[in-house]
Amino acid sequence: MSTPAERVTIKDVAAAAGVSKGAVSLAFNHKPGVSEATRERIFAAARRLGWAPNSSARSLSRQSVDTIGLAICRPARLLGLEPFYMEFISGIESVLAERNCSLLLRLVGSLEEEISLQERWWRERQVGGSILVDFHQEDPRIGPLRRIGLPAVAVGHPDLTGGFPSIWTDDAKAVAEAVRYLAALGHRRIARVGGPTGLGHSAIRVNAFERTMEELGLDGGLHVETGFSGEEGARATRSLLLAADRPTAIIYDNDITAVAGLGVAAEMGVSVPDDLSLLAWDDSQLCRLTHPTLSAMSHDVHGFGAQVTRVLFDVLAGQEVQSRPVATPSLMPRASTAPPGG
């Protein structure tokens, strides 16, 4: 049975906006022939009625796709230090270079700012489509960006992405592997330094961590929610090592916080790995250049960015795209993990 939103047609939008069906088509295809005020009135009517044109048809109607968009909600200074996004963007660029296309990258301070940005990009025909990242639980971007018909690929589990074609890594399986590895070494007090719980992938990792600890008969484990900067990683590690029943192993949500944690351990006279084992997410050169080198969950981030971009071009070509996991981070044991007590 069709829902009321599904029964809304272009004719209904035209009537609500007081224009012809042709004007609605011109507005949504970003063609000349309607004023900016009329265009905004049409978009407002479409949002109110919950109507959006078919995004595949719209993308095919465009003469070419020269640019794709990527907005990231991160401080500029942190992004420059974060190996994950540098590798991910390099993967995107590798595919765009093959197609003689460009990336329009913008850092935003909030998801609301990103919504306005993506709407403007699409309205002004600055992008042919976008890559959407860092999904939150009940992400506010989904409704507005689906209503305007933005062609996009979501980097995240489909439970978070509201019907956008989704590409993701199997974080839950990787977390379980990390916890089981540390438990097999003999660790019973395992802590996790994670990103903001509002981020969907952080929540997935928390749930997997707690579930695996329970399955192994271990205590629920300690969680410290933090950001992704070195300063926050250091602060979180310090609080864990000052606890009366401090952990013997810590899993970090990125490499920067893990490297900072290693520095705090040295500062406090805690030997790694004799007294404390450390394991980082997203293996990078940072993990291989520390002393001792950091064990890590590793996957091909460059290849991941390239694959996401290829899927976006499939969407823009009108192909049917199946949401799917593309990789599970795998464990790379190094010198920072060992049985407790050496």
Side-chain angles (χ1 to χ4, degrees), residues 55 87 96 100 169 193 205 214 247 251 261 265 289 326:
S55 62
E87 282 290 301
L96 296 182
N100 198 29
T169 57
V193 173
R205 293 178 189 181
E214 183 178 354
I251 300 172
L289 292 173
V326 296

Side-chain angles (χ1 to χ4, degrees), residues 257-312:
T257 53
V259 170
L262 181 62
V264 168
E267 163 199 312
M268 297 180 66
V270 177
S271 175
V272 176
D274 293 341
D275 303 323
L276 177 69
S277 286
L278 304 180
L279 192 153
W281 205 273
D282 290 329
D283 190 18
S284 70
Q285 283 290 338
L286 284 179
C287 297
R288 296 186 285 275
L289 292 173
T290 59
H291 181 74
T293 53
L294 285 169
S295 296
M297 303 306 296
S298 176
H299 69 107
D300 181 2
V301 178
H302 175 95
F304 184 44
Q307 191 158 5
V308 168
T309 310
R310 292 190 185 99
V311 171
L312 177 57

Side-chain angles (χ1 to χ4, degrees), residues 22-341:
V24 176
S25 180
L26 288 173
F28 273 93
N29 282 290
H30 308 287
K31 298 286 182 65
V34 293
S35 69
E36 191 60 31
T38 300
R39 193 185 308 273
E40 289 299 331
R41 191 166 75 249
I42 291 168
F43 288 159
R47 285 194 295 269
R48 190 166 62 251
L49 294 172
W51 179 86
N54 180 277
S55 62
S56 297
R58 291 189 61 202
S59 64
L60 288 170
S61 73
R62 299 167 67 87
Q63 291 184 344
S64 64
V65 178
D66 298 317
T67 305
I68 67 168
L70 173 64
I72 302 175
C73 191
R74 290 279 201 285
R77 188 165 179 268
L78 176 59
L79 185 69
L81 297 172
E82 195 166 19
F84 173 86
Y85 268 119
M86 294 300 98
E87 282 290 301
F88 184 73
I89 291 169
S90 75
I92 294 173
E93 290 283 10
S94 70
V95 175
L96 296 182
E98 295 170 359
R99 296 170 178 262
N100 198 29
C101 295
S102 301
L103 177 67
L104 183 54
L105 173 65
R106 182 72 59 82
L107 304 186
V108 295
S110 69
L111 297 182
E112 289 70 27
E113 183 182 344
E114 181 180 347
I115 292 168
S116 297
L117 176 69
Q118 296 280 5
E119 287 177 335
R120 185 171 75 254
W121 280 351
W122 185 234
R123 184 175 65 247
E124 296 176 359
R125 301 187 70 181
Q126 294 186 52
V127 299
S130 288
I131 294 171
L132 305 177
V133 297
D134 285 343
F135 274 80
H136 290 234
Q137 300 176 81
E138 301 181 1
D139 197 289
R141 294 172 292 179
I142 293 169
L145 299 188
R146 285 187 64 79
R147 281 193 292 272
I148 65 171
L150 176 73
V153 169
V155 179
H157 193 278
D159 287 351
L160 303 166
T161 56
F164 281 109
S166 302
I167 303 296
W168 74 98
T169 57
D170 193 342
D171 286 4
K173 186 174 180 180
V175 168
E177 180 183 3
V179 173
R180 291 182 184 280
Y181 165 70
L182 293 171
L185 290 177
H187 293 278
R188 293 296 177 265
R189 297 192 306 280
I190 303 172
R192 179 178 173 275
V193 173
T197 54
L199 283 174
H201 70 259
S202 293
I204 288 170
R205 293 178 189 181
V206 167
N207 292 337
F209 179 79
E210 291 178 343
R211 184 172 60 250
T212 307
M213 293 285 284
E214 183 178 354
E215 289 172 359
L216 295 173
L218 304 177
D219 292 337
L222 294 169
H223 291 283
V224 180
E225 177 186 339
T226 186
F228 295 113
S229 70
E231 292 84 356
E232 291 171 291
R235 190 179 306 116
T237 304
R238 198 171 288 112
S239 71
L240 287 169
L241 296 184
L242 288 171
D245 196 18
R246 75 186 188 194
T248 62
I250 305 174
I251 300 172
Y252 293 85
D253 249 15
N254 76 348
D255 41 10
I256 295 175
T257 53
V259 170
L262 181 62
V264 168
E267 163 199 312
M268 297 180 66
V270 177
S271 175
V272 176
D274 293 341
D275 303 323
L276 177 69
S277 286
L278 304 180
L279 192 153
W281 205 273
D282 290 329
D283 190 18
S284 70
Q285 283 290 338
L286 284 179
C287 297
R288 296 186 285 275
L289 292 173
T290 59
H291 181 74
T293 53
L294 285 169
S295 296
M297 303 306 296
S298 176
H299 69 107
D300 181 2
V301 178
H302 175 95
F304 184 44
Q307 191 158 5
V308 168
T309 310
R310 292 190 185 99
V311 171
L312 177 57
F313 278 108
D314 289 344
V315 170
L316 296 174
Q319 298 180 27
E320 185 158 347
V321 172
Q322 297 295 322
S323 295
R324 62 189 184 275
V326 296
T328 300
S330 56
L331 179 67
M332 299 293 292
R334 297 196 181 99
S336 69
T337 49

